[in-house]
Amino acid sequence: MFGIMETKWEQLTDDISKGRIDPKLDIDSDMRSELNSILYPNPQRAQELAREFRKGFKGIAKRVWPYLSYMSCITTGSMKVYSQKLCEYYAPGVPVISAMYISSEGTLGVNLWPLDQQGYYALLPRTNFYEFIPLENCDQIQPNTLFSEELEIGKEYEIVITNEHGLYRYRLGDVVKFVRYHNDGPVIEFMYRRGQLLNLRGEKTPETAIYQALQDTVADLKDVRLVDYTCTDSLMLDRRRNTSQLISSGITSYQDGAKATSDGEFQYYVIFLELERHGNADDEVTGDVSIDQLNMQFDENLRKHATFYDMFRSQESIAPPRVYLMKPGSFKELKRYLVENSTATMMQFKMPRLLNKPGALDLLMTVTL
């Protein structure tokens, strides 16, 4: 919402002033008629908003809604990148809480500690029966499960639910960390979705490690903020390009010092990264950012957060990663493309942190800086 407000504020204030939906906006005619029937001109409010918008969007939330007491949104998992910008840029000082742990299959947990920075959820005991698969066993077809009283603090598990709506021992695909007990019930932290892993050699690097490494890398850049990111690997790019074997035989040195694998493929992580300057979402950041330095720094940081990745990098069986900087607005285009080519709506959409759709990769490769 705040991103749209920042880029479309002139259109927004014009609509508020005139009490109608902009005729140029491409929406369903019935929806337009219904909305226009309940809107009314409010030029005074439009002027107030325009005055604040012209000052910039740092802290805009409290300036346009001075009595705002808190905001509720998803702050865990892959949504951390957005909630962090909300807390630091649009609404500093306003509590941002993640109230519920909800999936398509139902409501699983509630945040009883909404003012804590971490998003911890107490699992609801009467909505589902819960079982837990230890993370190391998740690749098994029929893994043994644990009950709530058998969990170990700090360990990660995949949740399995049974409920009255017909789901029987259903694997959600959500990986959570067990934090503690509250009144004998488990308190968990959502970590990531299974399948959102980079995995070239069996290292299974999760999106949490990628995000933490990106945060550390961007923190070293002056006046730059992370907008969005997604990942793939060199094998997927090779399939996309439909190229021939990289080398004919033997083991050859990689240009960055890592070795090619015996089957001739240089395997490495690919990170698509959109950055912005503080206070200017439309300004490209390439002038002050060295791609070589960015690649090296991200690699070093990821090795700190992903033990098995570090081991394979030390063995030179995974090559150094490649970071592609994206043009401003690239991830908005990607979101639009993915929604148009799926059954999801804009409200249901979550940016995939592991991208394996050739068409989407084609799009990203055309908007790199």
Side-chain angles (χ1 to χ4, degrees):
M1 181 187 76
F2 283 96
I4 294 175
M5 187 186 298
E6 186 171 10
T7 57
K8 303 288 186 181
W9 69 266
E10 291 175 316
Q11 180 183 10
L12 175 64
T13 53
D14 185 62
D15 285 354
I16 293 173
S17 178
K18 296 176 180 177
R20 55 97 169 107
I21 301 297
D22 191 328
K24 297 178 182 178
L25 192 64
D26 184 20
I27 62 173
D28 180 77
S29 57
D30 290 338
M31 181 180 293
R32 179 188 301 278
S33 297
E34 185 173 350
L35 289 173
N36 282 336
S37 69
I38 59 176
L39 294 176
Y40 59 89
N42 193 343
Q44 181 179 350
R45 180 56 173 165
Q47 290 175 7
E48 293 172 355
L49 292 173
R51 183 169 58 251
E52 294 301 328
F53 293 156
R54 291 190 184 98
K55 297 176 184 177
F57 281 78
K58 173 74 172 179
I60 190 65
K62 287 292 282 187
R63 286 192 279 121
V64 298
W65 297 300
Y67 300 107
L68 181 66
S69 57
Y70 75 94
M71 289 186 289
S72 179
C73 65
I74 301 173
T75 62
T76 57
S78 62
M79 296 299 179
K80 283 184 179 180
V81 63
Y82 314 121
S83 63
Q84 183 173 9
K85 182 176 181 179
L86 186 62
C87 293
E88 296 178 355
Y89 182 61
Y90 293 121
V94 178
V96 177
I97 67 173
S98 182
M100 307 287 285
Y101 173 26
I102 300 175
S103 70
S104 301
E105 293 77 17
T107 301
L108 284 83
V110 60
N111 186 352
L112 299 178
W113 311 271
L115 297 182
D116 289 356
Q117 196 167 21
Q118 301 89 346
Y120 293 159
Y121 306 97
L123 293 182
L124 297 173
R126 292 184 175 87
T127 58
N128 305 283
F129 179 77
Y130 304 97
E131 297 173 79
F132 301 85
I133 303 171
L135 186 61
E136 60 270 21
N137 300 334
C138 284
D139 288 335
Q140 298 177 14
I141 297 177
Q142 290 292 340
N144 292 327
T145 61
L146 301 175
F147 296 137
S148 296
E149 66 272 16
E150 299 175 297
L151 303 181
E152 295 183 37
I153 292 176
K155 290 198 65 174
E156 295 181 359
Y157 304 88
E158 180 186 352
I159 288 189
V160 180
I161 64 170
T162 299
N163 61 30
E164 62 183 3
H165 304 297
L167 295 178
Y168 177 72
R169 308 197 77 192
Y170 180 82
R171 297 180 65 167
L172 280 180
D174 287 359
V175 175
V176 302
K177 179 190 290 185
F178 174 60
V179 178
R180 60 176 180 265
Y181 288 105
H182 176 74
N183 294 335
D184 295 330
V187 176
I188 57 92
E189 177 184 7
F190 177 86
M191 301 304 292
Y192 58 89
R193 292 277 299 165
R194 284 198 68 225
Q196 297 289 289
L197 301 170
L198 284 169
N199 189 31
L200 292 171
R201 295 291 187 186
E203 72 280 8
K204 298 180 181 177
T205 304
E207 68 175 70
T208 50
I210 299 291
Y211 177 71
Q212 289 166 350
L214 283 174
Q215 286 290 93
D216 293 346
T217 302
V218 174
D220 292 332
L221 303 176
K222 185 178 180 181
D223 295 327
V224 170
R225 181 188 296 110
L226 175 62
V227 175
D228 219 333
Y229 73 96
T230 190
C231 312
T232 190
D233 58 54
S234 56
L235 298 180
M236 181 56 65
L237 285 186
D238 287 340
R239 295 188 194 104
R240 166 191 165 269
R241 297 177 187 131
N242 195 24
T243 57
S244 59
Q245 194 83 348
L246 293 176
I247 58 176
S248 56
S249 62
I251 298 177
T252 304
S253 293
Y254 181 60
Q255 61 180 3
D256 291 322
K259 296 177 181 178
T261 60
S262 59
D263 60 5
E265 292 181 321
F266 300 122
Q267 300 187 36
Y268 53 87
Y269 294 172
V270 179
I271 313 298
F272 297 101
L273 185 62
E274 184 176 337
L275 303 174
E276 69 179 11
R277 296 190 188 281
H278 287 281
N280 193 344
D282 297 322
D283 189 12
E284 294 181 3
V285 299
T286 51
D288 299 326
V289 176
S290 165
I291 294 296
D292 291 339
Q293 183 67 27
L294 200 62
N295 286 329
M296 183 177 68
Q297 194 65 44
F298 173 74
D299 183 39
E300 291 178 0
N301 288 327
L302 184 57
R303 294 179 73 165
K304 297 175 185 176
H305 292 290
T307 302
F308 289 105
Y309 171 79
D310 179 49
M311 180 183 71
F312 284 111
R313 285 286 293 114
S314 297
Q315 297 171 355
E316 297 186 333
S317 56
I318 294 180
R322 295 186 184 179
V323 177
Y324 289 91
L325 285 180
M326 315 306 295
K327 296 178 182 178
S330 296
F331 278 85
K332 292 180 182 178
E333 293 185 36
L334 177 61
K335 178 179 179 179
R336 189 179 304 110
Y337 172 86
L338 292 173
V339 170
E340 289 175 353
N341 290 274
S342 73
T343 57
T345 66
M346 281 290 186
M347 292 295 293
Q348 296 170 320
F349 177 81
K350 294 180 181 178
M351 181 62 66
R353 298 310 178 194
L354 177 61
L355 198 60
N356 54 16
K357 296 181 181 296
L361 291 171
D362 287 340
L363 172 63
L364 287 182
M365 293 304 291
T366 63
V367 290
T368 57
L369 292 172

